[in-house]
């Protein structure tokens, strides 16, 4: 059986080799500047954002967006989901703000509006939504919530390139949003981040931050691009020996690929954050090369996600229902199961490689945030991005049918 890998590297080896050559070669400021400007212009057209800025990673983009709020209200509280990626609340702290966590709703991990109401204090100044796995939150409701309480609204769109509600891009419903351009995101340059906004005040502050950035060390860029080249071998469909070896480890409850793909939570905050540098020119070029395919992939992934979600009334696994009132990207399809490792072993035995959910409870407080804690335990990311057609989706449906039968 040909294995269906969990991920694909959506950049060609030829493009990666060209970018690696640029990273290892001497600097070419004019070429780098031209590629950054071309990517900025292209993304401005795609998103409809009036202002757009490039950074070396998503977390620095978030830091730049939050700088005006931190200057106006030092130490202010920002509401955000407890179910999150660890770097997000850390960047709030770096900016001089205070994370105020709220529980989430199942199965998507969207911050709970009722919990947010209860968490309000006189120090609350903003809310930061997380559009996880390419699904936009209920932005109409959150925009009304923010307006009703005099709060600023920010959006974590790291997973949500191509997501929108009512034809308006996620990230443009409040003060601003940001994308990550890391390897597993919908649009990738191997490394990179994008801050975007329609707000002139935010844009002025972000522009001043973006105008005083250094270069990412060439060795760091080269390592990142080389790892993407390695990913072609690790995740290729035509590598049966690797897949067999990996399957035996998954059966034993060990997954080295998860460890390789998931950034570990550091024992102490890395003081290099935020990364005060520009997006490398080679990475801007890669993102520009990937952009047309990334836009097309949103439609393909949405269609495949809908095929799986609507195939059955699943009982032993929880899949999100298909929502027609918002445009999700279909970047990832997350299944929730009481025995996630059992589900992963079951899928892997049928040639389908799924990974663990890499989001977690920020506080680890299951009493205060029970849904966040449960979602972090139960998540399995199905390999939607590596599916090519309906036949791949049907293989996944058949495997889930077998899981349903026990």
């Amino acid at each position: 059986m040909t294995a269906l890998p969990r991920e694909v590297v959506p950049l060609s080896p030829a493009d990666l080799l060209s970018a690696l050559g640029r990273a290892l070669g001497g600097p070419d400021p004019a070429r780098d500047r031209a590629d950054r400007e071309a990517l900025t212009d292209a993304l401005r057209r795609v998103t409809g954002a009036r202002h757009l800025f490039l950074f070396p990673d998503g977390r620095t983009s978030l830091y730049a967006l939050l700088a005006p709020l931190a200057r106006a209200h030092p130490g202010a509280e920002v509401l955000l989901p407890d179910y999150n990626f660890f770097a997000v609340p850390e960047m709030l702290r770096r900016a001089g703000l205070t994370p105020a966590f709220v529980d989430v709703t199942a199965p998507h991990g969207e911050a709970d509006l009722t919990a947010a109401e209860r968490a309000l204090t006189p120090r609350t100044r903003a809310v930061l939504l997380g559009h996880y796995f390419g699904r936009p939150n209920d932005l109409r409701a959150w925009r009304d919530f923010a307006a009703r309480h005099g709060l600023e609204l920010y959006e974590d769109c790291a997973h949500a390139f191509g997501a929108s509600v009512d034809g308006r891009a996620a990230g443009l419903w409040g003060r601003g949003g940001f994308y990550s351009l890391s390897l597993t995101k919908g649009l990738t340059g191997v490394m990179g981040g994008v801050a975007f906004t329609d707000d002139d005040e935010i844009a002025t502050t972000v522009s001043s931050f973006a105008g005083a950035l250094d270069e990412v060390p060439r060795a760091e860029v080269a390592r990142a691009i080389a790892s993407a080249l390695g990913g072609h071998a690790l995740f290729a469909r035509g590598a049966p020996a690797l897949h067999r070896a990996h399957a035996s480890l998954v059966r034993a409850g060990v997954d080295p690929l998860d460890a390789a793909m998931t950034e570990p939570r550091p024992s102490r905050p890395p003081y290099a954050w935020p990364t005060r540098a520009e997006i490398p020119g080679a990475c801007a070029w890669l993102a520009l090369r990937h952009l047309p395919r990334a836009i097309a992939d949103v439609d393909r992934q949405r269609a495949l996600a809908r095929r799986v979600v609507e195939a059955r009334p699943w009982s032993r696994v929880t899949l999100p229902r298909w929502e027609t009132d918002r445009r999700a990207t279909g970047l990832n399809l997350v299944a929730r199961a009481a025995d996630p490792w059992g589900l992963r072993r079951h899928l892997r035995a049928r040639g389908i490689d799924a990974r663990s959910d890499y989001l977690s409870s920020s506080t680890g407080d299951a009493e205060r945030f029970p849904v966040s804690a449960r979602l972090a335990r139960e998540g399995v990311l199905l390999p939607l991005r590596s599916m090519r057609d309906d036949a791949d989706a049907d293989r996944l449906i058949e495997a889930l049918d077998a899981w349903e039968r026990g």
Side-chain angles (χ1 to χ4, degrees), residues 36-37 39-55 61 64-65 68 155 157 168-179 193-208 210:
R36 290 168 182 144
E37 290 175 353
L39 179 59
T40 299
D41 291 343
L43 286 175
R44 192 180 289 119
R45 290 192 298 272
V46 168
T47 62
R50 293 177 57 214
H51 308 286
L52 193 140
F53 306 90
L54 303 178
F55 294 98
S61 306
L65 279 174
E155 299 172 63
C157 305
R168 186 172 181 79
L172 295 178
W173 284 72
R175 296 279 269 173
F178 73 95
Y179 296 132
V194 182
F196 56 104
T197 180
D198 280 345
D199 188 291
D200 293 339
E201 179 186 359
I202 294 284
T204 298
T205 305
V206 176
S207 179
S208 65

Side-chain angles (χ1 to χ4, degrees), residues 382-403:
L382 303 177
L384 192 69
R385 186 174 184 176
S386 61
M387 295 183 188
R388 296 172 177 168
D389 50 34
D390 288 350
D392 280 342
D394 290 342
R395 284 180 54 202
L396 175 58
I397 292 168
E398 291 169 6
L400 291 173
D401 277 340
W403 176 256

Side-chain angles (χ1 to χ4, degrees), residues 62-392:
L62 173 59
Y63 179 94
L65 279 174
L66 293 172
L69 176 65
R71 292 177 185 177
H73 305 283
E77 293 177 355
V78 178
L79 302 176
L80 74 165
D82 180 68
Y83 176 64
N84 219 313
F85 182 56
F86 72 87
V88 172
E90 182 57 34
M91 293 316 294
L92 266 69
R93 297 185 183 100
R94 291 302 175 87
L97 299 165
T98 304
F101 297 106
V102 300
D103 208 3
V104 298
T105 59
H108 299 291
E110 179 174 350
D112 189 314
L113 269 166
T114 302
E117 291 272 5
R118 291 196 301 266
L120 291 169
T121 76
R123 297 180 60 222
T124 307
R125 290 289 182 272
V127 57
L128 172 61
L129 301 179
H131 301 310
Y132 300 143
F133 311 118
R135 173 193 176 269
N137 288 213
D138 186 348
L139 285 166
R140 304 177 203 86
W142 282 105
R143 181 182 58 187
D144 293 345
F145 171 85
R148 188 164 66 250
H149 296 289
L151 304 178
E152 297 185 10
L153 176 63
Y154 298 88
E155 299 172 63
D156 174 351
C157 305
H159 299 185
F161 175 78
S164 62
V165 176
D166 295 340
R168 186 172 181 79
L172 295 178
W173 284 72
R175 296 279 269 173
F178 73 95
Y179 296 132
S180 169
L181 303 184
S182 65
L183 191 57
T184 59
K185 301 303 189 296
L187 174 65
T188 183
V190 176
M191 68 168 57
V194 182
F196 56 104
T197 180
D198 280 345
D199 188 291
D200 293 339
E201 179 186 359
I202 294 284
T204 298
T205 305
V206 176
S207 179
S208 65
F209 181 85
L213 297 174
D214 298 321
E215 291 283 340
V216 177
R218 280 188 293 163
E220 185 177 337
V221 182
R223 280 195 301 271
I225 296 173
S227 71
L229 280 164
H232 274 285
L234 284 173
F235 303 132
R237 292 170 181 245
L242 282 172
H243 285 285
R244 284 195 296 270
H246 179 232
S248 65
L249 290 170
V250 171
R251 285 194 295 271
V254 177
D255 191 344
L257 293 185
D258 266 2
M261 292 172 61
T262 303
E263 181 181 352
R265 187 189 298 264
S267 57
R268 67 170 188 165
Y271 291 99
W273 291 356
T275 309
R276 297 181 182 275
E278 292 188 282
I279 184 174
C283 296
W285 179 79
L286 282 171
L288 196 59
R289 298 279 292 179
H290 182 224
L291 183 58
R293 176 178 168 181
I295 294 170
D297 281 350
V298 169
D299 289 331
R300 177 181 59 83
Q301 290 165 179
R302 279 172 52 81
L304 295 175
R306 185 169 194 171
R307 188 177 185 88
V308 175
V309 166
E310 296 188 335
R312 307 281 186 273
W314 309 106
S315 59
R316 291 191 66 208
V317 63
T318 300
L319 292 178
R321 64 181 176 84
W322 186 257
E323 297 169 304
T324 58
D325 65 336
R326 66 197 78 187
R327 179 178 169 82
T329 68
L331 173 61
N332 286 302
L333 184 59
V334 184
R336 307 286 176 187
D339 180 11
W341 269 102
L343 177 59
R344 291 185 65 198
R345 293 186 188 101
H346 168 86
L347 294 173
R348 196 64 192 79
R350 287 155 178 78
I352 297 171
D353 191 8
R355 68 174 298 198
S356 299
D357 182 357
Y358 57 90
L359 301 183
S360 62
S361 169
S362 299
T363 63
D365 190 338
E367 184 174 344
R368 291 178 59 206
F369 309 109
V371 182
S372 294
R374 177 168 62 82
L375 294 189
R377 290 193 306 268
E378 295 181 348
V380 175
L381 274 65
L382 303 177
L384 192 69
R385 186 174 184 176
S386 61
M387 295 183 188
R388 296 172 177 168
D389 50 34
D390 288 350
D392 280 342

